[in-house]
């Protein structure tokens, strides 16, 4: 029951401070909030207000800014009167309108908390959110593609890695771009990567942009030989042509200033990773060291010889591919197994 002079506060707008009831009749409730100098009118049956009551031991300020400690509280005609030290009696009408109900302790003391049922609902929502974050095939959802078994297998294996540094070598037409896009989409959905750099031949820049946008709803900026100036301060996801990266020193230095979470290089066999003094290779090395994931794509990884293939793999994983001789032995065994299969 609302009585003129009582102090109430808005649960939805605690920043209004402590309000005072001006009038309550005919289903109409008028409340004035001195702190915000605002007057609100509510339906008396469903007003989002909560009674402000102090208990013994609570501290409060009067309108004049004096601080008191509640010794006792008594009610008279619906109005609370607080007895403080030195036998001061302060009616609730003279309380300061400035109250702090944002902290957990203050909300608890003011009895401004949710019901157990609401807390349980919120807890279950957090659990469901966590289960969704842990869903192994989360990155496969939402893509406008028809999933093919070998692509699902490859992507699943890559996503199982702690920090994927891999080379995709499917033959032409088997979907290396789709696999790389699925991996990228999944890592972004899992919030493991944000800034993504994709390096492709000049003729494939637009193709990559369209594939990522139409099939995965991933928006990238592009730089090729026909591009105009780009704002690097807002750059987060970029598709850049190999030609521009090799030829434009200024752009390469601008890209160095960005922390890339993921690096993708299409037609990676076109780079000679043995030439560590090359500016582009130095740039790739810097990005690869700081990135969470790196993907190389090539349908003809051995077109320039087994040594070039080893250099690419050595660049990605120096610990696993540290010796060219051991790599040749591994290739020999793999070919024998392939023939047997």
């Amino acid at each position: 029951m609302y009585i003129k002079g009582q102090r109430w506060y808005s649960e939805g707008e605690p920043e209004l401070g402590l309000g005072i009831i001006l009038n309550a009749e005919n289903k109409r409730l008028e409340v004035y909030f001195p702190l915000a100098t605002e007057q609100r009118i509510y339906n008396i049956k469903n007003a989002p207000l909560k009674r402000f009551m102090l208990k013994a031991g609570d501290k409060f300020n009067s309108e004049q800014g004096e601080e008191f400690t509640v010794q006792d509280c008594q009610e008279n005609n619906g109005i609370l009167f607080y007895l403080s030290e030195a036998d001061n009696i302060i009616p609730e009408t003279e309380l300061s309108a400035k109250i702090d109900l944002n902290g957990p302790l203050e909300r608890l003391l003011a009895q401004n908390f949710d019901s157990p049922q609401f807390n349980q609902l919120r807890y279950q929502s957090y659990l469901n959110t966590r289960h969704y974050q842990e869903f192994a095939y989360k990155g496969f959802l939402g893509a406008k593609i028809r999933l093919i078994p070998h692509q699902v297998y490859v992507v699943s294996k890559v996503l199982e890695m702690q920090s994927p540094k891999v080379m995709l070598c499917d033959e032409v037409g088997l979907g290396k771009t789709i696999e790389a896009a699925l991996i990228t989409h999944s890592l972004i959905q899992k919030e493991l990567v944000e800034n993504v750099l994709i390096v492709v031949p000049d003729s494939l820049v637009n193709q990559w942009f369209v594939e990522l946008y139409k099939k995965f709803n991933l928006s990238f900026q592009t730089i090729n030989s026909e591009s105009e100036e780009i704002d690097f301060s807002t750059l987060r996801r970029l598709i850049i042509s190999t030609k521009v990266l090799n030829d434009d020193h200024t752009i390469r230095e601008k890209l160095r200033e960005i922390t890339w979470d993921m690096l993708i290089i299409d037609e990676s066999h076109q780079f000679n990773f043995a030439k560590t003094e090359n500016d582009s290779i130095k740039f790739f090395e810097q990005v690869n060291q700081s990135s969470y994931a790196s993907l190389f794509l090539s349908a003809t990884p051995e077109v320039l010889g087994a040594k070039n293939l080893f250099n690419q793999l050595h660049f990605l994983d120096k610990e696993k591919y540290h010796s060219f001789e051991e790599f040749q032995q591994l290739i020999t065994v793999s070919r024998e197994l392939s023939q047997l299969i």
Side-chain angles (χ1 to χ4, degrees):
M1 180 178 180
Y2 299 100
I3 296 177
K4 184 177 180 180
Q6 288 181 340
R7 307 306 293 268
W8 295 70
Y9 64 90
S10 172
E11 293 185 280
E13 300 176 286
E15 65 275 7
L16 292 176
L18 203 56
I20 184 168
I21 304 297
L22 297 181
N23 195 19
E25 59 183 10
N26 299 328
K27 299 182 181 180
R28 177 187 173 99
L29 179 64
E30 296 181 28
V31 184
Y32 177 66
F33 295 93
L35 184 65
T37 62
E38 287 191 24
Q39 183 171 326
R40 297 290 178 89
I41 298 176
Y42 301 100
N43 186 315
I44 203 167
K45 288 187 177 181
N46 55 14
L49 301 176
K50 200 171 188 69
R51 186 80 161 96
F52 184 77
M53 302 176 66
L54 296 170
K55 298 181 177 62
D58 291 345
K59 293 184 178 182
F60 67 94
N61 292 328
S62 66
E63 288 180 331
Q64 290 74 31
E66 298 178 88
E67 185 177 273
F68 299 95
T69 301
V70 177
Q71 304 293 333
D72 192 17
C73 177
Q74 296 182 1
E75 183 178 346
N76 186 12
N77 294 328
I79 303 298
L80 298 176
F81 291 83
Y82 297 107
L83 177 64
S84 67
E85 60 272 14
D87 295 331
N88 289 314
I89 299 177
I90 297 94
E92 63 176 310
T93 53
E94 297 181 8
L95 294 180
S96 170
K98 188 175 183 180
I99 55 173
D100 182 12
L101 297 173
N102 294 322
L105 181 60
E106 289 76 13
R107 292 185 60 189
L108 183 63
L109 293 176
Q111 301 182 23
N112 181 20
F113 44 78
D114 300 321
S115 66
Q117 293 81 3
F118 186 83
N119 181 70
Q120 184 65 19
L121 176 62
R122 184 160 47 195
Y123 174 67
Q124 292 298 328
S125 299
Y126 287 147
L127 288 182
N128 290 332
T129 301
R130 189 186 72 179
H131 292 328
Y132 176 65
Q133 289 288 354
E134 294 175 342
F135 181 52
Y137 300 103
K138 181 178 174 184
F140 294 87
L141 302 178
K144 299 176 183 178
I145 59 173
R146 180 173 61 88
L147 295 174
I148 302 175
H150 82 273
Q151 294 176 342
V152 175
Y153 173 79
V154 170
V155 175
S156 299
K157 285 296 182 182
V158 172
L159 295 178
E160 289 174 1
M161 300 178 182
Q162 183 66 31
S163 179
K165 307 276 183 171
V166 300
M167 189 172 187
L168 306 179
C169 301
D170 289 343
E171 293 182 5
V172 176
L174 291 184
K176 294 184 298 301
T177 304
I178 294 298
E179 291 171 359
L182 274 172
I183 295 169
T184 304
H185 185 245
S186 179
L187 294 178
I188 291 175
Q189 289 289 313
K190 294 180 179 181
E191 299 180 6
L192 293 173
V193 303
E194 181 179 1
N195 299 347
V196 182
L197 175 64
I198 302 177
V199 183
V200 303
D202 199 75
S203 60
L204 298 179
V205 170
N206 290 331
Q207 178 183 324
W208 269 82
F209 173 82
V210 172
E211 291 274 315
L212 290 167
Y213 183 74
K214 285 191 173 181
K215 296 180 179 178
F216 297 89
N217 197 31
L218 294 176
S219 181
F220 279 73
Q221 291 178 275
T222 62
I223 300 179
N224 58 17
S225 56
E226 300 176 356
S227 298
E228 298 179 357
E229 290 189 9
I230 189 168
D231 184 6
F232 288 90
S233 63
T234 61
L235 200 58
R236 291 294 176 267
R237 297 170 189 170
L238 174 68
I239 304 172
I240 185 171
S241 79
T242 302
K243 184 179 185 303
V244 173
L245 188 68
N246 286 333
D247 298 344
D248 197 318
H249 172 77
T250 303
I251 289 181
R252 195 164 55 243
E253 291 306 310
K254 289 284 187 180
L255 296 179
R256 285 182 187 274
E257 299 174 2
I258 303 173
T259 301
W260 298 103
D261 304 315
M262 186 172 187
L263 170 66
I264 300 176
I265 302 179
D266 195 8
E267 305 294 343
S268 60
H269 59 268
Q270 294 183 2
F271 292 94
N272 187 350
F273 288 93
K275 294 184 177 180
T276 55
E277 72 283 355
N278 181 276
D279 290 337
S280 295
I281 302 302
K282 287 181 180 179
F283 170 73
F284 290 146
E285 182 69 31
Q286 175 186 332
V287 175
N288 183 58
Q289 287 178 355
S290 61
S291 68
Y292 175 82
S294 296
L295 301 181
F296 283 7
L297 281 65
S298 177
T300 55
E302 291 184 284
V303 67
L304 299 178
K307 183 66 175 179
N308 185 56
L309 172 58
F310 171 77
N311 291 334
Q312 297 175 70
L313 296 174
H314 175 73
F315 179 88
L316 288 170
D317 192 340
K318 291 180 173 58
E319 293 185 4
K320 184 175 181 179
Y321 300 100
H322 62 277
S323 169
F324 180 59
E325 289 71 23
E326 291 184 9
F327 175 71
Q328 285 181 308
Q329 294 176 5
L330 180 63
I331 291 294
T332 302
V333 173
S334 299
R335 285 173 176 166
E336 293 174 353
L337 288 174
S338 298
Q339 291 176 357
L340 291 173
I341 292 172

